[in-house]
Structures are given as structure tokens and as C-alpha cells.
Amino acid sequence: QVQLVESGGGLVQAGGSLRLSCVASGINIVNHVMGWYRQAPGKQREWVATITSDGGTGYGDSVKGRFTISRGNAKNTIYLQMSSLKPEDTAVYYCKAQRGLMEYWGQGTQVTVSS
């Protein structure tokens, strides 16, 4: 059974930082494209960042230069380091694993940025 469990969300002031974690079980993250997405109230889910099997990374325009995705292979965990947070970063952040047509999602972790 595949499980993705996010943690690290919370309330932070604008300009602050948070680090999200996503622990995977039932899969090896090295064999999957791993990503972070977010969904704010009343908005569609938005792609945030991706890390591929060979370690390549990509970011959405709204977070480029502020967020960093990384991978801890030994812990089968991916991370999202978020800096210079803005109120518009407030959302539920989800972890996703994809390999071919198979994709798995975590339950999400809430990030709230106060102005």
C-alpha cells in the first residue's frame, strides 16, 4: 500500500520560512517523479515544484527563486524549503508521486502566511 504523508505546515508571518516534508512508503521515490502542489480556497490545484528520478528540478513561476525541492533518498522523503513566504502562498500543500500512468497523492498539509 502506497502512502505519502506530508508534514511541516503551519502558521508563519510574511517573509518567514517553512520546510515541508513528504515521507513515502510502499514506493521508492528514486523511481518516481515527485512533486509538490498546492490548493488555495476557491482555486484550482496548482503545480509548485517537481524533482525527477535523475534529480532534475522544476518550479512554478510564482515560487521560482523562493522555494527549493530536494530529496532524501535514505529516508525516502522529499522536502520543500519555502522562503520569503507571502500571504498568497497560503494553501494546502500536497505531495504527489508519479510513475507512468500511476500517481499517488498525500493528504496535504496546511500552510498559512499572515501579512
Side-chain angles (χ1 to χ4, degrees), residues 2-49:
V2 177
Q3 277 193 315
L4 301 175
V5 180
E6 303 97 333
S7 63
L11 175 63
V12 64
Q13 287 190 331
S17 299
L18 280 176
R19 189 177 82 152
L20 305 183
S21 300
C22 170
V23 180
S25 58
I27 61 168
N28 187 337
I29 63 170
V30 174
N31 298 327
H32 290 70
V33 176
M34 302 297 297
W36 288 98
Y37 291 73
R38 67 186 182 186
Q39 188 166 19
K43 295 189 176 182
Q44 290 190 331
R45 193 168 292 191
E46 173 191 19
W47 171 62
V48 174

Side-chain angles (χ1 to χ4, degrees), residues 35-82:
W36 288 98
Y37 291 73
R38 67 186 182 186
Q39 188 166 19
K43 295 189 176 182
Q44 290 190 331
R45 193 168 292 191
E46 173 191 19
W47 171 62
V48 174
T50 294
I51 184 164
T52 63
S53 300
D54 62 3
T57 59
Y59 299 91
D61 288 342
S62 61
V63 307
K64 203 171 293 184
R66 300 188 298 122
F67 291 10
T68 302
I69 188 170
S70 61
R71 190 172 66 196
N73 295 344
K75 295 184 177 181
N76 216 32
T77 300
I78 65 165
Y79 306 95
L80 185 69
Q81 179 67 48
M82 305 185 295

